[in-house]
């Protein structure tokens, strides 16, 4: 991956620098996590409406020319997109892209870890809400614990670093398992990130929200954690590290302590919709522009204009029923 000779800056209307694009390569998933996708949902985008690899590369290249240097591949489950490592290699080679990462449920990671590493992906986030097979089945729709653990083993063998485990905490579902997950991450050298559920779609609103502030305070005391300023990917998580350096805890708290003032990211869905805020409906439809013959200068101008109207903040607390789309359709 190559850095540009000069660093352009993409600012929104509130003075925030936007340097991070989360790119959904598919809206499909092989799991049905209760907080993400409605049970029995079948309304996926038709592949004809997906951005092609060439279209994705054009958009990412335009963002990179405007100063976006961090790129995360998401879904749905991104490893369901055929030839994903080939796309990753193309995107990672673009001038300006200097951080290429992946979010995955890891059910297929053991098959793709080597190719992803060779393509330039260096960091991965793995969704893992429990270490108990029956709980995984209840949350995700089927027991895939063995597949996820095999994927983590493959990621370790390929040298991905850091490896972060994302645990969405739900009251009465898995909140009694947090310390077990901490112990697992200490043993394996993983970073644990606890995530509050968000009221995105009916599935998100039906989840059992846990305010993580007290959880974090208890863990900080139990494991001798201190706030950390360490750079770990440029996302919204706040981090704490044990004083011996053996464990790092992250927390993503959009409800109890939102991070909108420092938001640096936008999301591009597989159908070419650029979502400017996870908790608002502001968006730019890029697919009609791309297939209508827009040139690179026009594309960059459209992106700049969209970023200028990025909302200041979400309204998850004030208007929890506002967002009707669900997470897997938005992009993780």
């Amino acid at each position: 991956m190559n850095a540009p000779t000069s660093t352009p800056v993409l600012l929104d209307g509130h003075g925030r620098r936007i340097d991070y694009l989360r790119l959904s390569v598919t809206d499909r998933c092989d799991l049905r996590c209760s907080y993400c996708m409605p049970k029995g949902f079948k309304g996926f985008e038709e592949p004809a409406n997906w951005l092609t690899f060439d279209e994705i590369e054009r958009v990412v290249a335009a963002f990179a020319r405007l100063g976006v240097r961090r790129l995360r591949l998401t879904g749905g489950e991104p490893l369901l997109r055929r030839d994903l490592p080939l796309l990753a290699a193309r995107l990672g080679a673009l001038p300006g892209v200097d951080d290429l990462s992946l979010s995955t449920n890891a059910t297929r990671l053991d098959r793709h870890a080597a190719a992803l590493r060779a393509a330039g992906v260096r960091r991965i986030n793995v969704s893992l809400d429990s270490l108990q097979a029956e709980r995984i089945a209840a949350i995700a729709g089927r027991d895939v614990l063995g597949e996820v653990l095999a994927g983590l083993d493959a990621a370790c063998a390929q040298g991905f670093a850091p490896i972060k485990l994302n645990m969405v905490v739900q009251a009465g579902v898995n909140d009694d398992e947090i310390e077990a997950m901490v112990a697992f991450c200490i043993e394996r050298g993983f970073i644990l990130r606890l995530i509050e559920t968000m009221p995105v779609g009916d599935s998100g609103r039906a989840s059992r929200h846990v305010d993580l502030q007290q959880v974090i305070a208890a863990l900080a005391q139990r494991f001798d954690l201190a706030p950390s300023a360490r750079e770990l990917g440029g996302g919204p998580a706040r981090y704490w590290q044990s004083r011996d350096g053996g464990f790092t805890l992250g927390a993503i708290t959009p409800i109890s302590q939102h991070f909108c003032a420092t938001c640096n990211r936008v999301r591009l869905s597989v159908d070419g919709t650029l979502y400017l805020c996870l908790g608002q409906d502001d968006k730019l439809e890029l697919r009609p522009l791309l297939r209508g013959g827009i040139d690179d200068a026009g594309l960059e101008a459209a992106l700049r204009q969209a970023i200028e109207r990025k909302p200041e903040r979400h309204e998850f607390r004030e208007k929890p029923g506002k967002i009707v789309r669900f997470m897997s359709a938005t992009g993780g």
Side-chain angles (χ1 to χ4, degrees), residues 118-134:
V121 178
R122 293 293 177 263
R123 301 185 296 108
I124 60 170
N125 292 359
V126 172
S127 297
L128 184 60
D129 295 329
S130 175
L131 294 170
Q132 299 179 30
E134 65 277 10

Side-chain angles (χ1 to χ4, degrees), residues 42-60:
K42 299 183 186 300
F44 300 106
E45 278 291 342
E46 292 297 323
N49 292 333
W50 291 2
L51 295 189
T52 66
F53 282 11
D54 287 344
E55 290 168 335
I56 289 171
E57 185 174 0
R58 273 201 74 196
V59 175
V60 174

Side-chain angles (χ1 to χ4, degrees), residues 4-133:
T5 55
S6 61
T7 304
V9 176
L10 185 61
L11 297 177
D12 71 6
H14 306 283
R16 296 171 298 196
R17 179 174 179 175
I18 307 304
D19 65 357
Y20 184 3
L21 176 64
R22 299 180 66 95
L23 168 65
S24 174
V25 297
T26 179
D27 59 344
R28 286 162 168 72
C29 190
D30 54 347
L31 302 181
R32 293 294 181 272
C33 294
S34 56
Y35 49 79
C36 182
M37 187 183 298
K39 187 175 181 179
F41 177 79
K42 299 183 186 300
F44 300 106
E45 278 291 342
E46 292 297 323
N49 292 333
W50 291 2
L51 295 189
T52 66
F53 282 11
D54 287 344
E55 290 168 335
I56 289 171
E57 185 174 0
R58 273 201 74 196
V59 175
V60 174
F63 266 116
R65 290 193 297 270
L66 295 172
V68 171
R69 63 187 186 88
R70 302 178 187 274
L71 178 63
R72 176 170 292 276
L73 305 175
T74 72
E77 169 46 46
L79 295 181
L80 291 177
R81 183 76 184 250
R82 182 177 297 175
D83 295 327
L84 180 66
L86 297 179
L87 175 63
R90 290 172 63 172
L91 300 179
L94 291 171
V97 176
D98 60 15
D99 181 36
L100 181 61
S101 57
L102 173 79
S103 290
T104 175
N105 63 27
T107 60
R108 297 166 180 249
L109 186 57
D110 61 333
R111 286 171 265 176
H112 298 287
L116 289 166
R117 177 74 176 169
V121 178
R122 293 293 177 263
R123 301 185 296 108
I124 60 170
N125 292 359
V126 172
S127 297
L128 184 60
D129 295 329
S130 175
L131 294 170
Q132 299 179 30

Side-chain angles (χ1 to χ4, degrees), residues 290-319:
L290 295 168
R291 297 184 183 178
I294 194 170
D295 62 15
D296 286 350
L299 179 57
E300 290 181 27
L303 294 178
R304 282 193 182 276
Q305 291 168 10
I307 295 301
E308 286 176 1
R309 57 185 176 84
K310 178 176 168 66
E312 183 177 12
R313 62 183 299 270
H314 65 67
E315 298 174 295
F316 285 148
R317 278 194 181 276
E318 299 89 338
K319 300 177 181 179

